[in-house]
Amino acid sequence: MKVCKFGGSSLANAAQLNKVMDIVLADPARRIVVVSAPGKRHSGDTKVTDLLIELAETAVKGENTDRQFGAVVERYAEIAQALNLGEDIIREIEHDLMDRIAKVAVLSKPEFFDLMKAAGEDNNAKLVAIAFTMRGHKARYASPKDTGMVLTGKFGDATLDPSSYATLSRAFSNFDGIVIYPGFFGYTKEGKVATFPRGGSDITGSILAAAVCADVYENFTDVDSVYPVDPRIVPEVSEGIPTMTYREMRELAYAGFGVFNDDAVIPAVRARIPINIRNTNHPGEPGTMIQQSRRVVPGTVVGIASADDFCNIVVDKYLMNRAIGFGRHLLQILEDEAIPYEHMPSGVDSQCIVVKGQHLPKEKEHRVIQRIKRELDPDSVLVERDLTILMVVGEGMCYTAGMFAKACLALASAGINISMVNQGSSEVSFMIAIKRKDRSEAVRALYRTFFG
Ligand code: ASP
C-alpha cells in the first residue's frame, strides 16, 4: 500500500486536481491520499491557508468578515464548478466556515486560529473525495477525529500523541476504496482542533505511512526531484538525485535543503518507510527516493548544501586543555540562556561554539560574554557573525581518502578563506564555515569539483 500526499500547488485548481486523480487512479496501491488546502495558482496568488488566517484575524477583531469569507469560498467554488461537483459541497463549505467563525466567542485565540486554519485541508479533503466519486470511483473522506489523530503540545505547533499510531492503524485496517485524508491537523484529547506547524500536511502523510506500514510514502510536489545543489545558486544543475539515505537527507536538510522539514519525516524514518518525492506535473519522472540504505559509489557526493546566519563564539585560554570542566561550564552558560548549539570544534587552547544567529540576539550575546568573562576567566572571547555553513554530504565519502582535500582545493582555487571545519566520525558529511559574502562562489566551486 502507498500513502500519497499532495501539496497545495498540486491542488490549486481543477486542472491540478484532475492530474492528482489521474496519478492516484493509475496505481491501485495508492489507497490513502493526504491533501493540503488549495495553494497558489500563480506567483501572485494567496494560499487558502493564508486566506483563512486573514479571515480569522478579521473575526478576532470583531470586524465584518464577508470579503475574506467570500475569498475562501470562491477558491473551492471555482474547483467544484469546473469539475461539475454540484452546489451541495459549496453550501457545505459555507456552513462549515460559518460554524467555525461563530466559535470566535468561545475559544482562546490560538484555539480559534487552529480551528480556522484546519478548515483549508478539511474542506478540501471532502471536495476531493466527491471529485473521485463523480469520476465513478469508490472514495471517501476520513476525519482525523474518527480515525484517532490525537495531538498534544501547543496550538499551531502541535505534535502527535504517540498512542495515536495504534488507533490510526486500527482505523485503516479494514477499508476499501480510496481514503482522502486532510493533512495538517488533528484533535486534542479534549476534542479541540489543533494544527501542526505550517507545511504540516507532510507530517500527516508521514504519520499515516508509519501507522499503516506503507510500502512507500509518496510526497507529490512541484519539482521533478531533489537536486544536489540549490538551482538558484547553480542554475545549470539538471540531474536530480535518484536515491539518498535518510542520513543524507537529514544532513542536507539541516543546512537548508528544502527537501522536507526535519520533523515532517520523523515518523516515516523511524518506521523505515521509503519516501518518494515526485512531481504532480511530471508523474512519469521517478523523483527522488529516500530510504534507509542505498548502493553507494565510493568517492561520490550526493549533495552540497549551504545555510547563512551562523555565529561562532570563540573562547581562548592558555592551558585550556588541562582545565577540567571548562567545556561543561561553557555549555552550561548556553543552556541557562536556552541557546542550542550546532557544532563545537576545538583547538588546544581554544573552544568554538557555533550557534544559529537567531538564537543569539544582541542582548543574549552580551549576557553570555559577560558570564564567560566572569566565570571562566578566558584570555579572550569574541563572537564572529555572518558565517555561512557549507555541508558536503554523501555516504560515498566514508572511508574514501581525499574528499576533504578536494573541497579545500576547490575553495582555495576560488580564493575563499575557510573559517572553520568539522567532520563527524560517521564521515557522511563535513562542514566548512566561510564568510557569508563567499557563499555563492563557494557552492559553485564545490559543485564543479564534485559534479562538474
Ligand atoms: N496548508 C497548510 C500550510 O499552508 C499546511 C500544508 O499545506 O502542508 O501551511
Side-chain angles (χ1 to χ4, degrees):
M1 185 201 310
K2 296 179 177 176
V3 170
C4 9
K5 180 257 165 179
F6 291 90
S9 61
S10 304
L11 292 154
N13 57 30
Q16 290 298 91
L17 176 48
N18 271 327
K19 290 183 196 170
V20 167
M21 290 194 283
D22 291 342
I23 291 169
V24 172
L25 296 171
D27 184 345
R30 293 187 175 126
R31 309 254 307 277
I32 300 179
V33 179
V34 176
V35 296
S36 283
K40 292 184 183 187
R41 293 160 290 187
H42 46 81
S43 61
D45 203 12
T46 310
K47 290 166 136 201
V48 163
T49 310
D50 291 315
L51 293 175
L52 286 162
I53 292 173
E54 216 183 305
L55 174 56
E57 277 161 356
T58 314
V60 165
K61 283 190 221 144
E63 293 171 4
N64 185 307
T65 54
D66 289 355
R67 187 178 60 79
Q68 293 81 358
F69 180 90
V72 174
V73 173
E74 179 51 36
R75 290 295 310 270
Y76 293 101
E78 181 193 288
I79 300 171
Q81 277 151 10
L83 296 177
N84 285 324
L85 303 185
E87 286 294 306
D88 289 357
I89 178 66
I90 306 174
R91 298 290 87 79
E92 194 185 322
I93 292 172
E94 282 174 346
H95 284 131
D96 172 75
L97 285 174
M98 283 189 289
D99 286 349
R100 289 177 197 251
I101 294 170
K103 301 252 169 55
V104 71
V106 292
L107 294 178
S108 71
K109 196 170 163 192
E111 290 168 357
F112 178 65
F113 269 76
D114 275 15
L115 181 72
M116 293 303 295
K117 282 187 281 172
E121 280 47 30
D122 207 22
N123 285 307
N124 208 26
K126 289 175 185 163
L127 183 149
V128 171
I130 293 173
F132 273 100
T133 313
M134 297 295 270
R135 266 218 195 177
H137 295 274
K138 195 163 179 187
R140 69 176 168 87
Y141 155 86
S143 119
K145 188 165 206 168
D146 299 343
T147 50
M149 179 75 77
V150 177
L151 306 195
T152 78
K154 277 198 345 223
F155 287 95
D157 192 20
T159 52
L160 184 77
D161 182 319
S163 67
S164 302
Y165 283 113
T167 334
L168 287 165
S169 154
R170 272 198 303 280
F172 283 98
S173 62
N174 50 9
F175 68 89
D176 51 357
I178 301 162
V179 173
I180 314 296
Y181 200 94
F184 190 37
F185 76 96
Y187 286 79
T188 64
K189 282 210 170 87
E190 295 73 37
K192 295 201 165 121
V193 170
T195 67
F196 294 118
R198 292 296 304 268
S201 299
D202 284 340
I203 308 181
T204 308
S206 179
I207 290 168
L208 293 189
V212 303
C213 294
D215 296 309
V216 59
Y217 169 30
E218 292 182 317
N219 193 292
F220 282 89
T221 170
D222 49 13
V223 290
D224 282 346
S225 57
V226 179
Y227 291 99
V229 70
D230 187 340
R232 287 168 303 185
I233 302 179
V234 183
E236 66 270 24
V237 59
S238 56
E239 296 239 339
I241 303 173
T243 51
M244 67 169 128
T245 64
Y246 298 134
R247 280 206 303 180
E248 290 171 330
M249 174 192 65
R250 163 80 181 113
E251 302 273 342
L252 290 168
Y254 167 79
F257 249 49
V259 189
F260 261 128
N261 166 318
D262 287 348
D263 299 332
V265 285
I266 290 172
V269 171
R270 290 212 176 117
R272 306 253 166 115
I273 313 283
I275 301 164
N276 191 191
I277 299 186
R278 305 188 63 159
N279 192 346
T280 304
N281 303 315
H282 298 144
E285 295 290 331
T288 297
M289 190 65 103
I290 308 168
Q291 54 207 26
Q292 176 66 16
S293 59
R294 66 181 180 94
R295 211 175 61 79
V296 168
V297 180
T300 54
V301 161
V302 81
I304 296 159
S306 60
D308 285 337
D309 195 27
F310 284 82
C311 308
N312 186 16
I313 306 171
V314 188
V315 186
D316 281 311
K317 183 172 168 122
Y318 189 58
L319 298 182
M320 182 192 286
N321 64 324
R322 294 197 209 157
I324 291 168
F326 192 94
R328 182 202 47 74
H329 195 147
L330 193 53
L331 288 180
Q332 186 65 54
I333 295 174
L334 295 192
E335 189 177 338
D336 292 346
E337 288 286 347
I339 302 170
Y341 78 91
E342 308 293 323
H343 306 273
M344 217 176 151
S346 65
V348 178
D349 285 335
S350 79
Q351 181 65 65
C352 300
I353 306 189
V354 180
V355 302
K356 289 195 173 145
Q358 74 205 75
H359 299 306
L360 195 67
K362 278 285 172 199
E363 71 287 355
K364 265 197 190 181
E365 172 183 330
H366 181 73
R367 281 200 300 274
V368 166
I369 298 291
Q370 290 313 312
R371 275 194 66 187
I372 294 174
K373 283 186 177 161
R374 215 173 37 243
E375 296 170 30
L376 290 166
D377 191 27
D379 298 332
S380 71
V381 50
L382 60 92
V383 173
E384 275 181 272
R385 286 195 175 260
D386 277 344
L387 289 178
T388 286
I389 274 184
L390 305 168
M391 295 288 289
V392 179
V393 178
E395 303 273 358
M397 300 200 300
C398 304
Y399 312 116
T400 308
M403 302 301 288
F404 192 62
K406 273 191 188 175
C408 291
L409 191 59
L411 296 179
S413 310
I416 295 166
N417 179 53
I418 295 175
S419 300
M420 199 179 1
V421 297
N422 199 9
Q423 187 200 275
S425 55
S426 72
E427 294 185 42
V428 71
S429 72
F430 54 80
M431 177 279 269
I432 299 176
I434 55 167
K435 281 283 179 203
R436 193 201 322 238
K437 66 173 179 46
D438 295 326
R439 175 182 181 176
S440 303
E441 196 42 49
V443 171
R444 283 195 281 269
L446 292 175
Y447 179 76
R448 280 195 300 274
T449 292
F450 291 110
F451 295 92

